């Protein structure tokens, strides 16, 4: 077993870390005050080749792996989870297309967006006001009309929506079939597609979310991805992959919280010595370090599995919730270790704490991750022989 990164992976990780150090970390606090899309930083990330990593080479992309993506997400998440979300959102938006679209469709709809001089954006449109965790409740509807589909409905909380040129939309083609009636479409920005309310948030203010409204939006029939009714399957396969990306951003946040507070614990003196010498603080730092290491390994393992086409629903759920919970815990502990300074907006820790909270919510809440993982565990254990058999009167005990 080899835990090291290949030379190519290490170079990419180092490049993303150097980018973060130069373009993200020094500006994140200031940019957050603007509460808007960090256009200049995203432009630089695009020029540095840190976007759209997973688009296959046949469709004009770099064709990198999910593990590569997690390296960039961890590095940029270390600097600012909001900016990392803005940079990496195309991964989420285009993943259903990479999974379900033909090379021809990718060349027509995605290639022009990734190879220009400026970054262009996709947006992943699943959530609705009445359909959050329950994707089967999606009410946005697509109806076939000759060579076109007509879309009507409203999505909310859609990241990068105001910037997007292409919307990956989950819409019902047969509402009575619930999840089995969901289909996925590529919807270019057109007159039937409008941006509604911009969402206000407690953290990750360096990313933008909005409502997307479809009013008789007409799209050619070749904008259907896969077949009608395959939307839910494609959505689940997408999230199996992209959850590792969120876990990676969370690992970056957890590492940053550790680094900032450990640095502080070395230099802050109380009772005549550095506070890091107090066991109460030292043990907190040790727990934080352990959470970072476990998050990183779970994340890379989930990505490694996906890159080998090994079913990873359970492992990507483990990675997402463990890393997100760890980021939240580490950020909270970092604020505690830094005392009043930790709570001050001039220091990065209060932002880390606000940013981390979202990691437990988007791309499937951490409760939903446990729901996904427990389903797999129960299925896997249904026929499990542990070697322990209770006998009554010489016979196997009845099932309770
Ligand atoms: C900043 C931000 C960015 C986002 N970006 C996007 C995006 O780009 N595209 C997109 O489509 N969506 C996006 N979302 C939506 C996000 O994925 C949803 O918010 C999330 O899936 C939860 O849905 P909900 O908010 O409706 O909560 P609900 O589903 O209403 O959940 C409310 C609470 O109930 C719990 N719960 C629900 N079902 C269960 C269950 N079966 N078992 C146990 N507990 C349960 C949840 O865990 C949660 O605690 C974004 C959200 C935010 C906040």
């Amino acid at each position: 077993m080899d835990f090291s990164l290949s030379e190519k992976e290490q170079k990419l990780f180092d490049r993303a870390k150097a980018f973060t150090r130069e373009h993200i970390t020094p500006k994140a606090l200031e940019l957050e005050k603007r509460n808007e899309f960090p256009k200049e930083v995203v432009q630089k990330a695009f020029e540095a080749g840190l976007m759209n990593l997973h688009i296959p080479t046949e469709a004009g992309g770099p064709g990198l792996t999910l593990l590569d993506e997690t390296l960039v997400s961890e590095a940029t998440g270390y600097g600012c989870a909001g900016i990392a979300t803005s940079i990496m959102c195309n991964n989420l938006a285009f993943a259903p297309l990479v999974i379900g679209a033909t090379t021809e469709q990718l060349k027509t709809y995605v290639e022009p967006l990734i190879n220009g001089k400026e970054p262009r954006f996709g947006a992943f449109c699943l959530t609705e006001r009445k359909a959050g965790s329950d994707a089967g409740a999606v009410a946005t509807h697509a109806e076939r009309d000759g060579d076109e589909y007509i879309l009507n409905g409203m999505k909310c909380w859609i990241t990068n929506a105001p910037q997007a040129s292409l919307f990956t939309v989950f819409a019902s083609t047969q509402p009575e079939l619930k999840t089995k009636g969901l289909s996925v479409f590529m919807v270019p920005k057109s007159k039937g597609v409008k941006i509604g309310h911009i969402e206000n948030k407690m953290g990750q203010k360096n990313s933008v979310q909005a409502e997307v409204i479809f009013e008789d939006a007409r799209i050619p029939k070749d904008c259907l991805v896969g077949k009608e009714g395959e939307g839910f399957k494609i959505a689940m396969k997408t999230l199996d992959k992209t959850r590792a990306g969120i876990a990676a951003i969370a690992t970056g946040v957890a590492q940053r919280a550790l680094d900032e507070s450990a640095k502080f614990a070395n230099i802050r003196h109380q009772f005549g010595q550095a506070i890091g010498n107090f066991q109460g603080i030292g043990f907190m730092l040790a727990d934080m370090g352990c959470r970072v290491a476990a998050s990183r390994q779970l994340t890379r393992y989930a990505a490694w599995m996906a890159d080998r086409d090994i079913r990873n629903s359970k492992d990507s759920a483990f990675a997402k919730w463990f890393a997100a919970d760890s980021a939240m815990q580490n950020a909270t502990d970092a604020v505690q270790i830094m005392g009043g300074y930790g709570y001050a907006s001039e220091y990065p820790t209060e932002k880390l704490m606000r940013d981390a909270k979202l990691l437990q919510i988007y791309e499937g809440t951490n409760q939903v991750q446990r729901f996904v993982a427990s389903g797999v565990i129960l299925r896997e254990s249904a026929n499990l022989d542990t070697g322990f058999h209770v006998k009554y009167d010489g016979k196997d005990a009845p099932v309770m």
Side-chain angles (χ1 to χ4, degrees):
M1 191 180 291
D2 184 357
F3 285 100
S4 57
L5 297 174
S6 70
E7 202 186 323
K8 195 167 146 255
E9 287 159 349
Q10 189 62 53
K11 272 193 181 154
L12 177 66
F13 197 26
D14 291 343
R15 197 153 61 78
K17 285 201 266 192
F19 178 88
T20 299
R21 212 179 160 75
E22 186 178 352
H23 298 293
I24 301 182
T25 311
K27 296 180 190 143
L29 285 175
E30 193 49 43
L31 284 175
E32 194 198 31
K33 289 188 196 137
R34 290 197 217 156
N35 202 8
E36 61 185 31
F37 183 73
K39 195 162 175 265
E40 304 84 1
V41 184
V42 176
Q43 168 80 38
K44 288 199 168 83
F46 177 74
E47 287 162 7
L50 297 176
M51 280 180 68
N52 304 316
L53 305 179
H54 66 320
I55 306 297
T57 47
E58 311 85 82
L64 298 190
T65 63
L66 184 58
L67 180 61
D68 292 327
E69 265 181 40
T70 64
L71 299 174
V72 175
S73 294
E74 183 186 328
T76 49
Y78 184 92
C80 174
I83 293 178
T85 296
S86 294
I87 292 173
M88 303 309 280
C89 183
N90 274 5
N91 296 353
L92 171 65
F94 298 146
L97 315 184
V98 172
I99 289 168
T102 61
T103 305
E104 215 41 54
Q105 283 177 309
L106 288 175
K107 279 164 118 36
T108 309
Y109 290 96
V110 178
E111 190 170 3
L113 302 188
I114 63 171
N115 283 331
K117 286 210 167 98
E118 304 223 311
R120 295 181 67 197
F121 300 94
F124 177 89
C125 305
L126 178 61
T127 304
E128 299 180 2
R129 291 282 172 223
K130 290 188 181 169
S133 302
D134 181 7
V138 159
T140 296
H141 183 244
E143 202 176 324
R144 183 77 183 262
D145 181 31
D147 283 345
E148 294 179 322
Y149 281 94
I150 308 171
L151 260 79
N152 280 290
M154 190 185 90
K155 301 286 177 180
C156 58
W157 285 112
I158 305 306
T159 302
N160 284 2
Q163 287 72 36
S165 321
L166 187 71
F167 299 83
T168 301
V169 182
F170 293 83
S172 191
T173 35
Q174 276 190 281
E176 67 285 2
L177 295 182
K178 301 236 170 217
T179 51
K180 291 198 172 124
L182 266 190
S183 304
V184 55
F185 298 91
M186 298 174 288
V187 182
K189 191 150 191 194
S190 61
K191 80 174 178 5
V193 182
K194 296 186 181 119
I195 301 303
H197 167 73
I198 306 282
E199 315 281 4
N200 292 308
K201 317 190 294 288
M202 85 191 304
Q204 295 208 17
K205 291 170 185 278
N206 284 321
S207 79
V208 173
Q209 286 73 27
E211 288 173 345
V212 184
I213 301 153
F214 303 98
E215 278 173 358
D216 288 330
R218 285 184 170 270
I219 49 169
K221 70 174 190 315
D222 80 337
C223 287
L224 171 70
V225 177
K227 296 196 185 91
E228 279 191 21
E230 287 186 345
F232 188 72
K233 201 172 75 184
I234 293 175
M236 294 305 110
K237 279 191 179 173
T238 298
L239 295 172
D240 280 352
K241 280 180 179 267
T242 56
R243 280 196 288 255
I246 301 300
I249 296 178
T251 305
V253 170
Q255 178 77 65
R256 178 77 183 279
L258 171 64
D259 292 353
E260 293 295 347
S261 50
K263 198 171 71 171
F264 186 90
N266 269 315
I267 56 174
R268 173 71 175 166
H269 282 68
Q270 288 292 281
F271 301 98
Q273 56 182 308
I275 59 165
N277 291 335
F278 302 130
Q279 198 180 55
I281 299 291
F283 280 15
M284 275 168 94
L285 292 170
D287 284 345
M288 290 164 79
C290 182
R291 282 185 212 110
V292 172
S295 299
R296 185 172 292 127
Q297 295 308 335
L298 283 170
T299 301
R300 291 185 182 176
Y301 183 56
W304 179 91
M305 288 176 89
D307 288 335
R308 279 153 191 79
D309 276 332
I310 303 170
R311 190 79 196 265
N312 74 344
S313 309
K314 180 182 72 180
D315 298 88
S316 65
F318 284 168
K320 196 272 180 183
W321 105 59
F322 187 85
D325 284 354
S326 295
M328 191 67 233
Q329 188 63 55
N330 278 15
T332 309
D333 288 352
V335 169
Q336 191 65 24
I337 290 170
M338 292 174 61
Y341 300 96
Y343 200 65
S345 351
E346 288 86 351
Y347 288 77
T349 37
E350 66 88 30
K351 175 177 177 302
L352 286 174
M353 196 169 162
R354 288 185 287 105
D355 287 354
K357 188 64 212 164
L358 178 57
L359 299 162
Q360 296 176 304
I361 296 171
Y362 64 0
E363 286 196 43
T365 66
N366 282 6
Q367 285 73 31
V368 166
Q369 304 309 325
R370 285 164 169 94
F371 179 67
V372 169
S374 64
V376 178
I377 289 169
L378 288 169
R379 274 198 302 282
E380 284 175 346
S381 63
N383 297 313
L384 189 66
D385 182 359
T386 62
F388 172 74
H389 300 278
V390 179
K391 300 266 184 199
Y392 287 121
D393 294 335
K395 293 185 192 133
D396 281 348
V399 175
M400 302 290 179

